[in-house]
Amino acid sequence: MKIVVLPKQTFDTEAKITLDAAGKINREGVNLIMNPYDEFAVEEALRLKEKHGGEVTVVSFGGPKVPDILRQALAMGADKAVHVGDEGLEEIDEHTTATILAKLLRDLEYDLILAGWRAIDDGSAQVAGRVAEILGLPMVNMVIKLDIAEGKAVASREIEGGYEVVEVPLPAVITAQKGLNEPRYPTMKGIMQAKKKPMQKLTIADLGLGGEEVAPKVRARRYYLPSPRSQGKIITGEPAEAAAELVRLLREEAKVV
Amino acid sequence: MISFKLTEEQEQIRKLARSFAEKEIIPIAAEYDEKEEIPWHIVEKAHALGLMNRTVPVEYGGQGLDHVTDAIVAEELAYGCLGISGALGANGLALAPILIAGTPEQKEKFLKPFCAKPQLAAFCLTEPNAGSDVASISTTAVRDGDYYVINGRKCFITNGGIASLYTVFATVDKSKGLKGITAFIVPGDTPGISMGRKEKKMGDRASHVAEVIFEDVRVPKENVLWSEGQGFKIAMMTLDRTRPIVGAAAVGVARRALEEAIKYSKQRVQFGKPICENQAIQFMLADMATKVETARLLVWYACWLLDQGLPVSKIGAMAKMYAADVAMSVTVDAVQIFGGYGYMRDYPVEKLMRDAKILQIYEGTNQIQRIVIARNLLA
C-alpha cells in the first residue's frame, strides 16, 4: 500500500507571536515544528505500513527549513520525502498550497493520502479538502480511528454527541484528529538512517506551475494581536457583601448580567 | 575553522533527547527522587529509543555516537533529572574500559548481548579506603589455574548489585601498588557477587548507588582487560574519556536551574513588580547564563578533542571541574532567586541544588581534577 502524508511546518506551540514593522507575523528566531495534527497523520501512515506493507512518502510545500520536518518523518520511519520550495512566491493561501500539492500528487502513486485536519498556525483546515477536490477523491475529516481492508477505508469520526463510522473507496484523503494515535519518537537508529533516505527538492517551476495558477485568491489584510488581558479583580470583605459587590460589578461594569 | 553549527543529525538527536526529557523524565523526576528508585519503565523506553549505550559502536549493539553528540544527549537528559540521566548513562562509564581495552572477542562476547536488552552495568573502582587514592585498592584477584578469584568490597557503586555486567578493578599483588591493579570483566550473574548497603543520598536519588561485595568470585582469565597490572592505566583512560560527559550533565543541571530561575523571576511579583525588574536579580541571571554557556563550550571542546583522538586529559578535567562548579553555583543562585519557595520541595530548584553537589565529587573530585590540570601544566 502506498501512502502519501502531507505535513506542514508550523510555529512551535509555545512560540511567542509578534508582528514586524510591516504588520506581518514575525518569523525571526521562531522555533519551527511539524504541525502536531500532521504528526498523527505520519504515525498512522507508519502503522498502516507496518500492518499492510508498502511505502510512506512525505510531501511538504514551504520554506528552506521544511526539510527538518521531512527528516523527522523519515527518522520516524517514512521511506522518502519531497520538498516543494516556496521560492519566488510572495504571498500564498490555501488555494496556492493545495494547487501545488495536488499537481505533485498527480505524478505520485498512492492508495491513501493522510494529513492533519488543521494546522495549528492559521487553523484554516482547508488544504487537505482542496487537494481531495482537485484530485476528485473522497475525503473523511477529523478521523480518530482508521482501518483499511479490501480497497476500502473505514474511518471513525467524532460528531456532535457521538461517533460516526464511514466507509470510502481508496484512494481517499483522510485527515487526523487528536486521539487517532500517539506519535512515536524517532529512534536514534531511525535518525541515523534518515539521512540515507531520498529527499527530493522541487521548485514550483519543476511542477510546471507559476503565475496566476498559484496566485492567492484570499489575501490577509491585517494581522493584530489580542489586547493584553487586564489584571483580575479580587473582591474582599464579608461573603454576603462581596457577593453583592460581584453582582453589581457584573451588571454595571462588565454588563454581562 | 571553528564551527558551532550542529549537523542535521545532531539537531534531530538533541530534539529526541529534549522531548524525552520533557515528556518522560520531568513529569516523574520528583516522584523518583522521593522514592530513591530507578524508574525502570524509563530505562526500558530509553533503551528502545537508543538513548543508552550511546558511544558503543553500532556493530556491538550501541548507537555509535561521537562524544560531542553524546554530550548533547547527556545535557538534555540531565536537564530532565540528573539521577535518571545517571541511571541511563552509567553504562557509559562501566563499558568504557571494555571499549578502550577489550579485544574484538571480548567486545563481541560481552557488549553485544549486554546492549541487546535494557540492562545496567557498573564500574567498580572506589573502595571504602580507596577513593581518590586508587593505589590503596585492597580488593584482590588471586590466580587459580585458568581463573582469578576476586575478593573485596567496593563502595559508592552506581548500579551496584543490580548490574548485569561489571568492570572490576582489583590488585593481583598489593606490593606492586598501582602496577598490581588489574581490570576484569565480570558478568553480573557470577556466583559470589552481592549487594551490600544501598546508599541513602543527598541528591541524585533516582540512580542506584550501593556497595558491592565480591566473595570468591571466579572469573576466567580471558576476562582480564589487556593484562595484569594494566588496570590503573585503563581506569585513568576511562576517566579521561568520561569526564567531559559528567561536565555535559552538569551543564544540563545548570541550564535547568537558569531556565527555572528566569521563569520564576518573571512571574514573582514583589513591591508591585516582577522581581526580574530588579538589577540585583538581573545580574545574577546574567552571571548564571554566562557560566552555563562557558561550561558548555569547554565540554564541547573536550568532547571534540576526544573525537579527534587528541590528548584530552587536561581539558577534560577542566570541563568536568568547571561545569560541576558552575552547576553548583548556578543551582544555589536559582534557589536564592526563588527565595523561601526555592527551599521547598514543591518547587524544582532545591532538587537541582542537591543533585549538583555530586557532580563536584564523583568520577574524581574537583580537587583531583585540579591536580590533573596542574600536572599537565607543570609536566
Side-chain angles (χ1 to χ4, degrees):
Chain A
M1 182 155 115
K2 289 187 159 42
I3 306 169
V4 179
V5 190
L6 309 175
K8 177 185 183 184
Q9 192 170 43
T10 60
F11 281 20
D12 193 339
T13 46
E14 283 167 25
K16 194 163 181 259
I17 311 293
T18 57
L19 300 179
D20 63 17
K24 295 266 169 65
I25 295 165
N26 195 351
R27 306 184 72 87
E28 277 304 295
V30 174
N31 199 22
L32 300 171
I33 59 166
M34 187 192 296
N35 174 39
Y37 292 102
D38 297 339
E39 276 193 28
F40 301 136
V42 171
E43 175 64 32
E44 197 63 16
L46 298 175
R47 290 183 190 195
L48 288 170
K49 181 181 99 166
E50 282 155 10
K51 199 167 165 194
H52 303 286
E55 189 181 63
V56 175
T57 305
V58 282
V59 173
S60 188
F61 160 69
K65 296 232 169 121
V66 163
D68 291 352
I69 63 158
L70 294 176
R71 212 161 280 114
Q72 179 190 339
L74 294 175
M76 287 169 78
D79 299 287
K80 55 186 187 178
V82 184
H83 169 210
V84 184
D86 64 359
E87 298 90 348
L89 288 176
E90 286 284 311
E91 275 188 88
I92 61 163
D93 70 352
E94 295 83 356
H95 160 74
T96 314
T97 306
T99 304
I100 290 164
L101 292 175
K103 187 77 195 288
L104 175 69
L105 282 159
R106 287 191 192 281
D107 295 334
L108 297 178
E109 283 180 59
Y110 54 83
D111 302 298
L112 180 65
I113 297 171
L114 286 166
W117 81 271
R118 68 188 279 258
I120 58 161
D121 49 7
D122 55 35
S124 70
Q126 290 187 25
V127 170
R130 283 171 175 269
V131 167
E133 179 65 24
I134 297 168
L135 297 175
L137 298 176
M139 173 175 180
V140 188
N141 224 350
M142 298 178 75
V143 166
I144 53 166
K145 187 171 183 297
L146 180 63
D147 290 303
I148 303 289
E150 294 158 9
K152 284 181 295 199
V154 177
S156 307
R157 49 192 303 277
E158 267 177 82
I159 54 171
E160 189 60 39
Y163 300 93
E164 178 184 47
V165 181
V166 297
E167 183 186 294
V168 287
L170 297 182
V173 177
I174 306 275
T175 70
Q177 164 67 312
K178 188 177 167 65
L180 179 61
N181 54 46
E182 187 61 44
R184 70 194 66 190
Y185 293 99
T187 64
M188 197 77 83
K189 206 169 145 201
I191 292 169
M192 302 294 190
Q193 285 168 347
K195 67 174 174 187
K196 293 178 201 129
K197 293 179 178 175
M199 168 133 39
Q200 195 183 4
K201 169 72 208 291
L202 296 173
T203 62
I204 294 154
D206 291 335
L207 295 173
L209 289 172
E212 276 307 300
E213 284 170 301
V214 291
K217 293 182 185 292
V218 176
R219 285 210 159 81
R221 291 178 58 169
R222 189 162 82 93
Y223 292 99
Y224 62 97
L225 299 171
S227 48
R229 199 160 36 146
S230 53
Q231 222 171 6
K233 194 174 270 182
I234 293 171
I235 302 164
T236 53
E238 290 298 312
E241 289 167 27
E245 176 65 5
L246 174 64
V247 171
R248 188 188 69 78
L249 288 171
L250 288 173
R251 180 166 294 157
E252 292 172 18
E253 270 190 28
K255 297 191 169 67
V256 291
V257 290
Chain B
M1 187 65 186
I2 295 170
S3 169
F4 294 103
K5 190 174 158 52
L6 301 185
T7 64
E8 281 162 6
E9 220 170 61
Q10 285 170 327
E11 291 280 7
Q12 295 268 353
I13 290 169
R14 171 151 76 177
K15 208 172 140 198
L16 164 65
R18 187 168 288 184
S19 51
F20 190 79
E22 273 167 12
K23 291 187 200 147
E24 312 290 338
I25 297 179
I26 290 176
I28 56 135
E31 178 193 343
Y32 282 85
D33 174 63
E34 202 75 29
K35 290 205 287 207
E36 302 192 48
E37 274 175 23
I38 294 179
W40 260 103
H41 67 290
I42 296 289
V43 174
E44 284 165 6
K45 263 188 190 167
H47 180 267
L49 289 172
L51 293 169
M52 292 179 72
N53 310 320
R54 301 186 295 260
T55 57
V56 174
V58 175
E59 65 259 43
Y60 301 119
Q63 304 304 324
L65 294 193
D66 57 71
H67 291 91
V68 172
T69 312
D70 189 30
I72 290 168
V73 176
E75 177 184 329
E76 296 304 331
L77 297 179
Y79 176 95
C81 172
L82 181 69
I84 294 172
S85 85
L88 303 178
N91 290 359
L93 172 65
L95 303 180
I98 305 175
L99 293 174
I100 290 166
T103 60
E105 293 73 32
Q106 285 172 328
K107 288 177 183 171
E108 185 75 26
K109 182 172 175 194
F110 295 106
L111 292 178
K112 224 174 180 176
F114 175 82
C115 291
K117 286 187 279 183
Q119 303 189 88
L120 302 174
F123 176 80
C124 298
L125 180 64
T126 302
E127 296 182 4
N129 294 314
S132 299
D133 179 12
V134 177
S136 295
I137 276 180
S138 62
T139 295
T140 54
V142 177
R143 183 76 184 256
D144 177 18
D146 286 342
Y147 287 82
Y148 286 86
V149 181
I150 299 176
N151 277 287
R153 183 179 284 261
K154 297 284 180 181
C155 72
F156 305 152
I157 304 303
T158 302
N159 299 334
I162 59 169
S164 309
L165 193 63
Y166 292 84
T167 42
V168 181
F169 296 82
T171 178
V172 289
D173 185 348
K174 192 113 202 325
S175 70
K176 286 187 181 161
L178 291 174
K179 293 201 166 70
I181 297 173
T182 304
F184 297 88
I185 306 169
V186 184
D189 57 4
T190 312
I193 303 175
S194 61
M195 176 158 57
R197 173 192 155 81
K198 184 188 172 222
E199 301 296 346
K200 293 186 233 166
K201 304 195 288 311
M202 170 197 268
D204 193 37
R205 283 162 47 159
S207 79
H208 169 101
V209 169
E211 268 185 324
V212 185
I213 298 154
F214 294 88
E215 230 175 332
D216 293 330
V217 174
R218 291 176 71 81
V219 179
K221 66 179 187 344
E222 291 75 30
N223 291 19
V224 170
L225 286 165
W226 275 344
S227 59
E228 278 192 12
Q230 299 290 319
F232 180 72
K233 193 174 174 197
I234 294 169
M236 293 305 110
M237 288 174 74
T238 296
L239 294 172
D240 271 354
R241 188 184 154 115
T242 56
R243 270 183 206 124
I245 297 303
V246 177
V251 173
V253 172
R255 194 185 98 218
R256 175 77 183 280
L258 169 67
E259 288 180 14
E260 295 288 350
I262 292 171
K263 199 165 75 185
Y264 183 80
S265 73
K266 287 179 177 174
Q267 289 166 352
R268 173 68 171 169
V269 174
Q270 287 288 274
F271 304 108
K273 60 183 182 185
I275 61 170
C276 69
E277 290 180 17
N278 299 307
Q279 218 172 42
I281 300 290
Q282 292 176 358
F283 283 10
M284 285 174 85
L285 293 174
D287 287 345
M288 290 157 78
T290 308
K291 287 175 184 174
V292 171
E293 294 292 332
T294 49
R296 186 187 294 112
L297 291 180
L298 206 42
V299 165
W300 283 11
Y301 179 39
C303 290
W304 179 84
L305 289 170
L306 269 174
D307 290 334
Q308 301 299 311
L310 295 168
V312 71
S313 192
K314 179 181 74 177
I315 301 293
M318 285 179 182
K320 189 272 179 188
M321 176 268 278
Y322 180 69
D325 285 350
V326 161
M328 195 68 248
S329 77
V330 169
T331 54
V332 168
D333 285 348
V335 171
Q336 192 67 23
I337 288 171
F338 272 69
Y341 291 109
Y343 201 71
M344 303 304 156
R345 294 215 296 261
D346 293 336
Y347 287 79
V349 286
E350 62 80 33
K351 171 179 178 293
L352 297 173
M353 185 176 141
R354 286 188 284 111
D355 287 350
K357 188 64 207 169
I358 193 60
L359 293 158
Q360 294 180 308
I361 298 171
Y362 63 17
E363 295 199 33
T365 63
N366 276 12
Q367 286 66 35
I368 291 293
Q369 306 304 329
R370 286 174 169 90
I371 290 173
V372 172
I373 296 163
R375 262 188 207 146
N376 274 275
L377 297 176
L378 302 171

